[in-house]
Structure formats: C-alpha cells, structure tokens
Amino acid sequence: MADNEVATRAPESDAQETPQKEAEGSAIPGDTKAQEGPSMGEHCVTDRPTPSGEVPTGELTKLGDVDVYIAKPSDYPHAPSKLLLLLTGGTGMQSKNNQLQADKYASEGYLVVMPDQFAGNPAPTIAIDEPENKDFSWLESSKLKIAEAAKSFRIDMWLAYHTPEKVLPLLHKVIEAAKEEFADAIANGGGIYGVGYCFGARYILILAGEHSDTALWGQEQPKDEEQGGAKKEPLLKVGAVAHPTMVTKDELEAVKAPVYIAAVKDDSLFSEEDVLTPGRRTLEKNTVEHEVKVFEGVPHGFAVYGDYDDAKIKQDQAQAFAEMLGWIQSH
C-alpha cells in the first residue's frame, strides 16, 4: 500500500467564504466547521467553470430504463474496451463538466457509463449574491446568513430523499442492463470498474463492498436471509474515489474490492478520525488491497473536472485523475 500524507489544513471549499470572521476553529480563511448530520458543501452542488472550447462527445440514452450518459473510445467496438461505471457529485449526469470527465476516461480506452443516480433531480443550486462592499452592515450580514441557512436546508432536504434505498436500486438496474448491452466490455475487463466523486464516491465504495441487505441492491430479500444471512458480494472488480461524502465507517470497512481513495486533509465531509482511519485499519486487517492519498491545500471537490485559477489545485486535480486512472488500469 502506498500512502502519502501531509499535515497542512485545507479549505473546505474555495467557494465557501464567510463575509466576516472565519468559522470558529478554522486555520485558513474560507474554511468552515463541519455541520451536524449529513450534508454537502458548495463544491458538491456547483460546477467549476468549464474549460474554454471543450464540448462533451458522448451520448445521452437509457440503460435499464434509467437515463445514462455513455462515452465510448473512438475505436469501440472494433477494438476491445473495459466497462467503467462513473458516479458523480450532486451536479449529476447533465453537468457538462461531469460529461467531460467521462470523456477523459473514454479517451483512455474505457467504455464509460454515467447514470442519473438522482432520477432527474440533481442537487439544488441556489445563487447567493454577496454585496459588492465587503464592509457588510449588520442587516446585510444577517440577510446573507439567512440565505446560506436556506440553501443548506434545501440541500439537506434533497439529501434526505436521495438515500441508499433510492439510489442503489437505480444503480443495480443500470449494472444489470450493462451486463447485457456491453457484455463484451465486461468480459474483456474481467468485471466492472468504478470511479466516483463526492456523493457518487460513497456509492462506489458501497458497490465495492460486501453487504447483507440485498434489498438495497434492487432485489427482494430472500426469506432465509431476513435475519441477516448470506452477504452480497461486491458488484465492482475495482474502485477509485475522490473526496467521498457521507461515507460511514461500516461502509468503508465492508469494502472487499481493491480501492484507491483521494482524500483531502482535514475534510469535515470525510472524517479522517471517525471514518478514514478506522476504515483503513479494517482494510489492512482484511488484507484488502488499497491505496490512500491525502492532498493538502486543496478544497474538497478539487478532483472534479473544472477550471481553477490556482495552479496548485490544477496540478493536484490532474494528479488525482492520473492516479485514479493508473489504479484501475493496474487491475
């Protein structure tokens, strides 16, 4: 296992700047405290600017009656390919940046299936206009705080709807349909590969795990397993994820397929103390092949395709893609 860790605090998101004093306990301007309960940051629901001149080349279609974006290598089906399931953050399948991300993997020889895991209901995006004058009055500051609270509430309500009970059956339908539609690619790769970002990273880890609740996989629970019987084996051959959100310790500990994790130092949405560290100990105990890279000085969401002015974020974004690609290529 390779493990490169650094000890510098990273901002929660470059888009989450507070108008007055910084959040209590923060070491970097713009950093925010972790919210109680499941939530996502600005990075998970808002795209970065799309690099100039880039246009997606894949197609929107359906698999298992679920909307999907499919990106194919230029020489497929004349040359063999491998099937890659790509799961996005809250901006979803219709995001041009996510489509371009799928195209990047397709250009490396993968047949990429990116499903609409939100059933036409991506995370709400609410624009909040800050006053041009940064010397906020009490009234302006209060209005801004109310707007931020309303936005957070809408996102939390959206998350309360898009639970594993809703998302996993959709993914199961897509996987089952892909087994028929792209049997050649799955056979060529010896299984299904998976990559995920933010919200979608959690589900790649779940699909890479061994679980007993088959109802969550789009199947009825057998009567003899109602009390917690045989476990469902991983649906993925290998997985690579970047800055997961809302992952539980149990979900990470259930992983059985080889997995690469690109994490962000001091990420309140993927706690190193509560989730990552105990999860890694279990992966090591279970001799599950894994690699963890912790990036410093970048916002959660940095690995999602999109343009940044900061040269370091651009460099680390490219590095995360190269390492995630290299991980799945090596398996």
Side-chain angles (χ1 to χ4, degrees), residues 104-117:
K104 282 172 64 67
Y105 284 105
S107 70
E108 298 292 340
Y110 290 91
L111 194 164
V112 184
V113 174
M114 184 169 68
D116 178 11
Q117 57 198 343

Side-chain angles (χ1 to χ4, degrees), residues 236-290:
L236 298 181
K237 175 183 178 179
V238 60
V241 301
H243 34 70
T245 61
M246 299 174 296
V247 176
T248 68
K249 179 172 69 73
D250 290 343
E251 288 167 351
L252 186 53
E253 290 177 344
V255 169
K256 298 299 180 185
V259 65
Y260 168 91
I261 301 173
V264 173
K265 187 68 176 177
D266 293 335
D267 185 354
S268 62
L269 299 180
F270 186 50
S271 170
E272 185 170 353
E273 179 180 358
D274 298 330
V275 180
L276 181 56
T277 296
R280 291 171 67 183
R281 287 172 181 162
T282 301
L283 293 175
E284 291 170 1
K285 179 181 177 181
N286 295 339
T287 64
V288 176
E289 186 184 0
H290 65 285

Side-chain angles (χ1 to χ4, degrees), residues 168-186:
L168 285 170
L170 290 175
L171 299 181
H172 182 82
K173 288 180 180 179
V174 170
I175 289 171
E176 288 303 305
K179 287 179 179 178
E180 296 185 10
E181 183 75 16
F182 304 116
D184 59 329
I186 295 177

